[in-house]
């Protein structure tokens, strides 16, 4: 949809992009769901609203004026972390590390 909107409206000066976020810390989910999401987060924590601000400002700035129809994923690597194994991660990043602090 983002690409279709960008294609159709670019000639009118409308720039369309999407901002995709990963699992949010304040999202309602079961402890099991939150634990599994946290386990897959390379940064060892879930996203907060302020983590999206820089990307949103970038996409709305002149620096992104030649970017159209793209989806910027702001998820700290969550979408590529399906194979994350805690054995290979530092202790401070492992699941539950944020909660232990």
């Amino acid at each position: 949809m983002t690409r279709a909107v960008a294609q159709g409206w670019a000639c009118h000066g409308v720039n369309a992009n999407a901002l995709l976020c990963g699992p949010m810390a304040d999202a309602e989910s079961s402890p099991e769901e939150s634990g599994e999401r946290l386990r897959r987060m390379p940064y060892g924590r879930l996203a907060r609203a302020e983590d999206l601000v820089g990307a949103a400002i970038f996409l709305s700035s002149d620096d992104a004026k030649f970017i159209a129809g793209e989806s910027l994923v702001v998820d700290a690597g969550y979408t590529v972390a399906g194979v994350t194994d805690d054995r290979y991660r530092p202790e401070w990043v492992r699941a539950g590390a944020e909660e232990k602090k």
Side-chain angles (χ1 to χ4, degrees):
M1 185 168 126
T2 302
R3 290 179 177 174
V5 170
Q7 182 69 29
W9 287 90
C11 62
H12 299 288
V14 175
N15 193 356
N17 292 293
L19 183 61
L20 311 176
C21 69
M24 301 294 288
D26 59 358
E28 291 186 30
S29 59
S30 70
E32 294 80 19
E33 288 174 308
S34 294
E36 180 58 21
R37 289 180 179 147
L38 186 58
R39 185 186 74 75
R40 292 175 179 225
M41 294 301 291
Y43 283 8
R45 68 173 178 82
L46 299 175
R48 296 183 287 254
E50 56 266 21
D51 294 323
L52 305 173
V53 172
I57 290 171
F58 167 70
L59 286 177
S60 62
S61 73
D62 281 343
D63 292 334
K65 65 183 172 191
F66 208 64
I67 299 172
E70 294 299 326
S71 297
L72 179 56
V73 181
V74 181
D75 70 353
Y78 179 79
T79 54
V80 297
V83 295
T84 301
D85 188 332
D86 279 344
R87 293 178 292 175
Y88 304 107
R89 301 169 75 194
E91 178 64 36
W92 64 271
V93 179
R94 292 183 186 178
E98 183 178 74
E99 296 170 6
K100 294 176 187 174
K101 293 180 183 176

